[in-house]
Amino acid sequence: MGPGNTTQISEFLLLGLSEEPKLQPLIFGIFLSMYLIIVFGNLLIILAVSSDSHLHTPMYFFLSNLSFVDICFTSTTIPKMLWNIQTQSKVITYESCITQMYFYIFFGELDDFLLTVMAYDCFVAICHPLHYMVIMNPRFCGLLVLIFWVMIAMYSLLHSLMVLQLSFCPDVQIPHFFCELNQVVQLSNSDNFLNNMVIYFAAVLTGVGPFACILYSYSKIVFCIRGISSAQGKYKAFSTCVSHLSVVSLFYCTALGVYLSSAATHSSLSSATASVMYTVVTPMLNPFIYSLRNKDIKRALKRFYLMPSIKWPIVLGVKKCP
């Protein structure tokens, strides 16, 4: 810890969603089920995209990145929560708390920026279809994702290093199921004015900025769709971005809900409960939205599911009927 610290602290206490012992098995079962759905659902999307050459396009490249980030995003919080419930312990070490905070910010912001890039991809596909492969070439897409990974890694590191400069009283209790940045900063017994200013400025920069870009992209998309004469053409153009629009709406509505609930109730427990929608429910629903509303993904999943049954007759030397 930094030289400005007056207290050496080795651990925090995560209070979780409820301190009622009778509710712990129920919470454990619900969150374990949701976590398994998130991992397997998003993993299926990644495998479907990687195994089908027809899906090796910019849109599905970004989608597979989003699925990977969603798995990592929930893996920073849910396993530790399940472990604490199983062991009946609320302890998280100081180092683990800072690490969890870093990766939570990192993957959470990556989610936001990937949704922004996917909105731009929809804009180019609908408004500039003839130049789509020129603009969204593999080199540009890969470089764009790499730049975001590096930028957000530095952004997350900044917040983590600033928290390291804060001092804390012994036996700090965090009224959340993970080390949420704002909660940890507010529990500090040292001056956290600079931390708060950076948090608020970053919230505007990384929250409002991408959202404004998404709104701009969709305003252009709506304008282009209105210019299409046939109803079939309008439907086809709109159907290419309806899944992304659903995910964006879910992402920002839940994030806004968390902010409004915490501002209205001023209750840390209510804020923690509301944040479940943002941190767990949204990544869980993303695979369903993309697989149920996307014919290409459904077709790829069917091919991936049938691949073992196709390979077995070949391995056994059985000829397929014409």
Side-chain angles (χ1 to χ4, degrees), residues 73-231:
F73 183 51
T74 51
S75 296
T76 61
T77 57
I78 303 304
K80 177 58 181 174
M81 177 191 180
L82 297 176
W83 176 259
N84 281 3
I85 294 175
Q86 185 66 22
T87 58
Q88 298 182 353
S89 170
K90 297 179 181 179
V91 173
I92 182 171
T93 64
Y94 179 81
E95 293 80 7
S96 297
C97 185
I98 299 298
T99 303
Q100 186 185 66
M101 188 188 307
Y102 172 85
F103 284 108
Y104 178 82
I105 298 169
F106 179 64
F107 290 115
E109 291 300 330
L110 264 179
D111 245 353
D112 196 7
F113 278 91
L114 280 172
L115 289 174
T116 307
V117 174
M118 292 170 77
Y120 177 72
D121 178 72
C122 289
F123 159 69
V124 177
I126 294 172
C127 300
H128 304 283
L130 298 178
H131 301 93
Y132 178 74
M133 293 310 298
V134 176
I135 298 173
M136 304 300 294
N137 61 79
R139 180 184 175 85
F140 173 73
C141 295
L143 187 62
L144 199 61
V145 171
L146 178 62
I147 289 172
F148 281 142
W149 276 72
V150 173
M151 285 175 56
I152 296 170
M154 299 302 293
Y155 166 80
S156 304
L157 185 62
L158 171 65
H159 280 298
S160 301
L161 290 176
M162 290 187 69
V163 172
L164 286 172
Q165 304 306 312
L166 299 175
S167 58
F168 298 89
C169 295
D171 301 322
V172 174
Q173 297 182 344
I174 303 174
H176 221 298
F177 62 93
F178 65 94
C179 290
E180 198 267 331
L181 174 64
N182 191 52
Q183 292 281 354
V184 174
V185 169
Q186 301 313 317
L187 291 170
S188 168
N189 65 350
S190 56
D191 184 16
N192 57 16
F193 175 78
L194 183 59
N195 294 74
N196 287 325
M197 288 298 100
V198 172
I199 289 172
Y200 295 141
F201 177 75
V204 173
L205 190 65
T206 62
V208 178
F211 184 64
C213 292
I214 292 172
L215 285 180
Y216 177 78
S217 296
Y218 273 102
S219 66
K220 290 292 185 179
I221 288 171
V222 170
F223 182 78
C224 290
I225 291 176
R226 287 181 61 187
I228 300 174
S229 56
S230 66

Side-chain angles (χ1 to χ4, degrees), residues 18 34 36 44 59 66 91 125 143 159 209 232 260 278 307 313:
S18 174
M34 289 195 294
L36 292 176
L44 275 176
M59 180 175 72
L66 182 68
V91 173
L143 187 62
H159 280 298
Q232 185 179 1
L260 292 178
Y278 174 76
M307 278 173 73

Side-chain angles (χ1 to χ4, degrees), residues 268-305:
S268 299
L269 182 59
S270 299
S271 176
T273 306
S275 67
V276 172
M277 289 294 296
Y278 174 76
T279 58
V280 184
V281 176
T282 300
M284 182 181 69
L285 293 179
N286 284 356
F288 292 101
I289 292 172
Y290 275 103
S291 60
L292 294 176
R293 300 194 62 90
N294 191 300
K295 293 180 180 179
D296 293 332
I297 290 292
K298 285 195 286 187
R299 194 180 300 115
L301 286 172
K302 286 178 182 178
R303 285 179 187 155
F304 180 76
Y305 178 75

Side-chain angles (χ1 to χ4, degrees), residues 41-55:
N42 284 288
L43 191 60
L44 275 176
I45 296 291
I46 295 171
L47 293 174
V49 172
S50 60
S51 63
D52 193 334
S53 59
H54 296 92
L55 299 183

Side-chain angles (χ1 to χ4, degrees), residues 19-52:
E19 296 187 60
E20 184 65 40
K22 293 180 180 179
L23 291 177
Q24 299 308 308
L26 178 62
I27 294 173
F28 181 87
I30 291 173
F31 275 82
L32 177 61
S33 301
M34 289 195 294
Y35 180 66
L36 292 176
I37 292 172
I38 290 168
V39 172
F40 287 114
N42 284 288
L43 191 60
L44 275 176
I45 296 291
I46 295 171
L47 293 174
V49 172
S50 60
S51 63
D52 193 334

